[in-house]
Amino acid sequence: MKRGGRSLVSSPPAFSNDAKKLRVSTISNATGLQTEDAETEDDLETSGTDEDDDLTVCGPSTVATSSFTKRVEYKLSKVEADDLSKKKWKYTWEVPAADISNCKWVGTGECFLKDDDLSSNYGLKQKLYKHWLDVYKTSGGNDFHSSKQRWFFSLCNSYRDILHGEKKPFYHKGLEEDSNIMDAYLMHSLNHIFRTRDLVRKNNAKIDKHQMNGKEEILPGDNFLDQGFTRPKILILLPLRSIALRVIERLIQLTPANSKVNVEHIDRFYKDFGSEEVSSDEEEEQSKNAKTKKPSKPSDHQSLFKGDTRDDFMIGIKFTRKTIKLYGDFYSSDIIVASPLELMTKFGKAEKNKDTDYLSSIERENEHVLLYDQVVIIDHADVISLQNWSFLTSVVERLNHIPSKQHGTNVMRIRPWYLDGFARFYRQTIILGYYLNPDMNALFNHHCVNYQGKVKSVREHRGVLPKVLSQVRQIYERFDASSIADVDDARLEYFEKKVFPKIKDSDQGGIMLFASSYFEFVRLRNFLKSQNASFCLLGDYTNQKDISRARVWFFEGKRKIMLYTERIHFYRRYKIRGIRNLIIYSLPERKEFYYEIVNMLEGSDDLACTVLFSQYDKLQLERIVGTATAKRMIKSEKGVFVFC
């Protein structure tokens, strides 16, 4: 076969040695390879009924320029790739975020956020648009054009990388906002899958017609290069099974009826992920208990940890013409929904067995590299950060590498930018969370290099100090650090020299020492041991028996200091009794944890809270004291600030 006057079996320009080896190894049986959608007749059938279908085999000048079409037709140059690798981003425009107070969107390149044509489908396939509109109206909506979900879909449909760290989650009285954003990225995922499938089907039909007519096997231009190395197009990373249940249920609901005549393995899905359905008897019993007994945990904790809270899951979802197949083979699935923990577990097993894992991974120098070619969505990133953020970083680092083995893909149909090693520059990454932290910023800045640019939310915070109910003197002490790499050592040194001597020389007990990370917890524990201090622990891995004993010892004064972490507070939300003096070694990421813990202080005389911070704690500090105040505290010549 030939393409554009040159043989299809010759190597396209500028791709790596690994890609060349892959191509050579598959040339001999290229004509017998399966294409991306060659598994069933349903997959192969061309959909010609979609009114807005702009995917044809013609050249770029004759097709409508949807965001999808622009993306797949864009040819990134080596110079552009080198510039993107330098990771120098300039945010050149900003627009207010109408749905979030004191918030704005900033972006690179040209501003694309403008009023859409009311007569358009906003970039959606016609059947998806009609179905979404029906779902919206059924739920009581009356202005889809101005809706938050439609607006955020347009943001996703730009195919830019997105960092939204101000998303109010469903468990913090943000059900509507959270659901709107979830609907938007799910519709974007469906749209991307269906458009990709239509492109492959139409090209299949064109090739079949070309061969049936007995013409010379020459194909025009690069229009038939329409696939990646493997079929999966969307990776959705989530922290808990209960959240995965919510997302997948909504994905099924948003799929048009004629595309979900059958949902395979739905019973198995509910068995594995649970169900939020509650019988009328159970609902009545829960209502009675709520009236007679005050909940021991805050409402946000109850809402988040309702249902199956396990963090080990991975499920492949495949769409055929009329069926949604849950638990599809991972190589042949369109969407993978997984937790970072489960992916890393699979990687570990694969590397141990020296075999490829269930996802599109390869073995190169004993390292298994995950292949994802299209869109990666990380939702509830704040919750993931309280599990193990390094797992998420490791997953992202394994994305978009060239494989050494073929996974049933016709290499004659692979897009050049995969073979050139440019797939990471075409990947869209969407990161969504309740707040931003340095890890999220680092991931967005260093691992998201989309050629189409970036958009992120920026917010002016008012702070939460008014929510401190008791009369507590809150003393903020700033310490200096020469760089972000030195901040941990500088914090510990300041604590050792300036704070601990006051504790050691005092007879007062009831001192809680709060640390936001496990790393800090371990350093403080080792230091307190070296000083033979009287302390007890409530850490991330403390067993229940030791927790109960530590709480009693602290309350009864048998231990002078309690070492407590943000992570255990997130999962347990304990009400610690006996706190007389609070030392916040590092500010919590979650702003509500600040006033919850400060409000635990007991007694009426001279209640004090000491907070350590540096210029590198700006994100946490501004959520607690307010953006304007935080800037003054960081830049001020004085280093001690008091709030009452």
Side-chain angles (χ1 to χ4, degrees):
M1 298 177 69
K2 295 182 179 180
R3 179 178 73 234
R6 57 185 168 85
S7 172
L8 268 177
V9 299
S10 65
S11 297
F15 60 87
S16 71
N17 290 331
D18 287 334
K20 291 178 181 178
K21 292 176 184 177
L22 170 66
R23 194 179 188 92
V24 170
S25 69
T26 57
I27 289 303
S28 60
N29 64 340
T31 57
L33 291 174
Q34 289 184 328
T35 59
E36 182 179 10
D37 286 58
E39 294 180 280
T40 68
E41 290 184 5
D42 277 349
D43 288 348
L44 277 170
E45 184 173 337
T46 302
S47 172
T49 60
D50 222 273
E51 297 174 23
D52 73 328
D53 206 336
D54 57 15
L55 298 171
T56 71
V57 294
C58 301
S61 61
T62 62
V63 299
T65 53
S66 67
S67 297
F68 174 85
T69 304
K70 290 178 182 177
R71 177 182 178 275
V72 299
E73 290 182 351
Y74 189 80
K75 295 180 181 178
L76 191 72
S77 69
K78 179 68 165 56
V79 173
E80 289 175 302
D82 290 342
D83 287 342
L84 289 168
S85 297
K86 295 175 183 177
K87 302 166 186 173
K88 295 181 179 179
W89 305 96
K90 291 184 178 179
Y91 292 90
T92 56
W93 56 265
E94 62 181 54
V95 296
D99 55 332
I100 307 174
S101 61
N102 302 315
C103 186
K104 62 185 177 182
W105 290 97
V106 299
T108 64
E110 295 184 4
C111 181
F112 63 94
L113 295 174
K114 56 186 178 181
D115 290 336
D116 297 272
D117 184 357
L118 290 173
S119 62
S120 75
N121 300 333
Y122 307 105
L124 277 162
K125 281 176 61 65
Q126 181 71 11
K127 65 179 180 181
L128 288 173
Y129 172 66
K130 288 182 176 179
H131 180 65
W132 197 11
L133 198 57
D134 289 341
V135 171
Y136 175 76
K137 290 178 179 178
T138 301
S139 65
N142 55 19
D143 186 2
F144 183 73
H145 172 72
S146 301
S147 65
K148 296 175 183 177
Q149 60 212 70
R150 199 284 308 163
W151 189 92
F152 197 78
F153 169 80
S154 294
L155 196 65
C156 296
N157 192 50
S158 72
Y159 280 100
R160 286 164 170 79
D161 289 335
I162 301 170
L163 175 61
H164 186 14
E166 305 299 336
K167 187 192 76 164
K168 195 171 185 180
F170 67 91
Y171 55 87
H172 259 302
K173 300 178 180 179
L175 179 60
E176 181 180 358
E177 179 181 336
D178 203 338
S179 298
N180 287 334
I181 289 175
M182 178 176 65
D183 281 8
Y185 73 65
L186 289 177
M187 289 306 297
H188 175 55
S189 300
L190 289 170
N191 194 50
H192 182 81
I193 289 167
F194 286 6
R195 285 191 178 279
T196 303
R197 184 176 65 183
D198 281 351
L199 178 61
V200 173
R201 286 174 171 177
K202 285 180 178 290
N203 283 346
N204 288 347
K206 185 71 174 180
I207 292 171
D208 290 344
K209 183 178 179 180
H210 186 83
Q211 294 176 344
M212 286 176 61
N213 291 337
K215 296 181 180 179
E216 185 181 355
E217 294 183 344
I218 298 177
L219 300 176
D222 293 338
N223 297 292
F224 293 88
L225 304 182
D226 52 16
Q227 298 178 28
F229 289 117
T230 52
R231 174 165 176 153
K233 305 165 188 67
I234 312 292
L235 172 63
I236 302 178
L237 295 171
L238 302 168
L240 304 172
R241 286 188 183 227
S242 57
I243 294 177
L245 168 69
R246 181 171 176 262
V247 169
I248 295 173
E249 278 189 325
R250 191 58 175 170
L251 176 71
I252 295 171
Q253 291 169 4
L254 291 174
T255 303
N258 61 356
S259 297
K260 59 177 179 185
V261 175
N262 183 32
V263 181
E264 293 185 1
H265 306 301
I266 190 67
D267 292 338
R268 176 185 171 188
F269 169 68
Y270 281 121
K271 182 178 179 181
D272 288 349
F273 287 81
S275 174
E276 292 187 357
E277 294 183 2
V278 180
S279 68
S280 57
D281 291 340
E282 290 176 329
E283 190 173 359
E284 184 178 350
E285 184 65 24
Q286 290 175 4
S287 178
K288 288 180 180 178
N289 291 338
K291 292 178 181 178
T292 58
K293 184 179 179 181
K294 185 179 180 180
S296 59
K297 308 293 182 185
S299 60
D300 63 291
H301 184 278
Q302 297 177 63
S303 180
L304 175 59
F305 292 103
K306 175 184 177 182
D308 193 335
T309 58
R310 289 177 293 171
D311 55 1
D312 55 338
F313 60 90
M314 182 165 62
I315 180 171
I317 304 171
K318 177 181 176 180
F319 292 85
T320 64
R321 190 168 60 90
K322 295 182 179 180
T323 300
I324 299 176
K325 297 183 177 182
L326 304 179
Y327 297 96
D329 173 77
F330 294 115
Y331 290 114
S332 61
S333 295
D334 293 298
I335 299 178
I336 305 295
V337 179
S339 66
L341 170 64
E342 185 65 12
L343 287 179
M344 290 307 298
T345 301
K346 297 296 185 186
F347 293 150
K349 289 180 180 178
E351 290 169 3
K352 192 173 183 180
N353 297 331
K354 293 188 177 181
D355 190 13
T356 55
D357 68 15
Y358 296 105
L359 295 172
S360 305
S361 63
I362 64 170
E363 182 179 351
R364 178 188 294 152
E365 298 177 356
N366 295 324
E367 180 181 5
H368 291 259
V369 184
L370 176 65
L371 273 175
Y372 265 98
D373 308 324
Q374 313 281 331
V375 180
V376 177
I377 300 165
I378 304 167
D379 199 0
H380 298 283
D382 53 291
V383 179
I384 294 175
S385 72
L386 286 163
Q387 294 174 328
N388 192 321
W389 188 261
S390 64
F391 288 168
L392 177 63
T393 303
S394 296
V395 169
V396 174
E397 287 173 348
R398 294 166 185 257
L399 301 172
N400 304 115
H401 291 261
I402 297 177
S404 60
K405 297 181 181 180
Q406 176 214 339
H407 298 287
T409 301
N410 186 343
V411 293
M412 300 300 102
R413 301 276 291 273
I414 295 177
R415 293 187 178 103
W417 33 277
Y418 289 108
L419 298 172
D420 291 341
F422 291 168
R424 65 193 180 109
F425 302 119
Y426 284 79
R427 185 186 78 231
Q428 180 186 28
T429 307
I430 300 172
I431 305 173
L432 306 167
Y434 178 38
Y435 56 78
L436 283 181
N437 67 17
D439 288 332
M440 296 174 200
N441 272 331
L443 183 71
F444 191 66
N445 293 335
H446 300 298
H447 295 286
C448 301
V449 287
N450 188 343
Y451 84 88
Q452 293 192 264
K454 298 188 174 192
V455 183
K456 67 178 182 179
S457 59
V458 178
R459 189 173 188 177
E460 292 278 333
H461 293 272
R462 294 172 178 168
V464 295
L465 294 181
K467 294 190 176 183
V468 175
L469 303 178
S470 51
Q471 297 297 316
V472 180
R473 292 175 65 248
Q474 300 158 69
I475 305 168
Y476 282 69
E477 299 183 15
R478 190 183 67 215
F479 63 91
D480 296 323
S482 58
S483 69
I484 193 169
D486 297 329
V487 69
D488 292 321
D489 290 337
R491 191 188 305 272
L492 183 61
E493 182 180 2
Y494 186 89
F495 175 79
E496 291 176 356
K497 294 181 178 180
K498 301 292 185 179
V499 179
F500 184 73
K502 299 175 185 178
I503 299 174
K504 187 176 182 180
D505 296 339
S506 172
D507 294 330
Q508 182 190 34
I511 302 168
M512 173 179 276
L513 186 53
F514 176 90
S516 65
S517 74
Y518 183 70
F519 170 75
E520 293 167 337
F521 169 85
V522 171
R523 298 192 84 180
L524 285 171
R525 180 195 64 191
N526 294 342
F527 172 73
L528 292 174
K529 281 184 177 180
S530 71
Q531 299 297 310
N532 295 318
S534 171
F535 71 100
C536 56
L537 304 171
L538 260 68
D540 301 0
Y541 304 103
T542 310
N543 63 49
Q544 189 58 52
K545 183 178 179 180
D546 290 339
I547 287 174
S548 299
R549 183 167 52 210
R551 293 178 70 182
V552 171
W553 283 347
F554 183 71
F555 176 67
E556 294 179 348
K558 295 179 180 179
R559 294 291 185 273
K560 185 176 179 179
I561 302 169
M562 172 178 282
L563 187 51
Y564 193 57
T565 69
E566 180 172 7
R567 190 165 184 250
I568 195 170
H569 190 69
F570 172 74
Y571 283 103
R572 305 293 183 88
R573 300 297 271 276
Y574 288 127
K575 178 68 171 70
I576 307 298
R577 297 184 301 162
I579 305 175
R580 300 289 186 273
N581 186 8
L582 175 62
I583 299 172
I584 298 182
Y585 181 79
S586 52
L587 286 163
E589 298 284 1
R590 291 179 172 262
K591 59 187 178 183
E592 65 272 13
F593 286 5
Y594 177 81
Y595 58 81
E596 282 184 13
I597 294 169
V598 174
N599 286 336
M600 289 183 191
L601 282 161
E602 297 177 351
S604 57
D605 299 328
D606 198 28
L607 296 178
C609 168
T610 302
V611 181
L612 308 186
F613 76 97
S614 76
Q615 60 182 332
Y616 299 105
D617 297 318
K618 178 177 177 293
L619 292 174
Q620 301 96 309
L621 185 65
E622 65 181 9
R623 286 194 288 268
I624 293 169
V625 303
T627 300
T629 303
K631 289 179 180 178
R632 290 197 299 269
M633 292 170 67
I634 289 172
K635 294 179 180 180
S636 175
E637 293 184 0
K638 67 176 184 177
V640 178
F641 309 85
V642 180
F643 300 91
C644 296

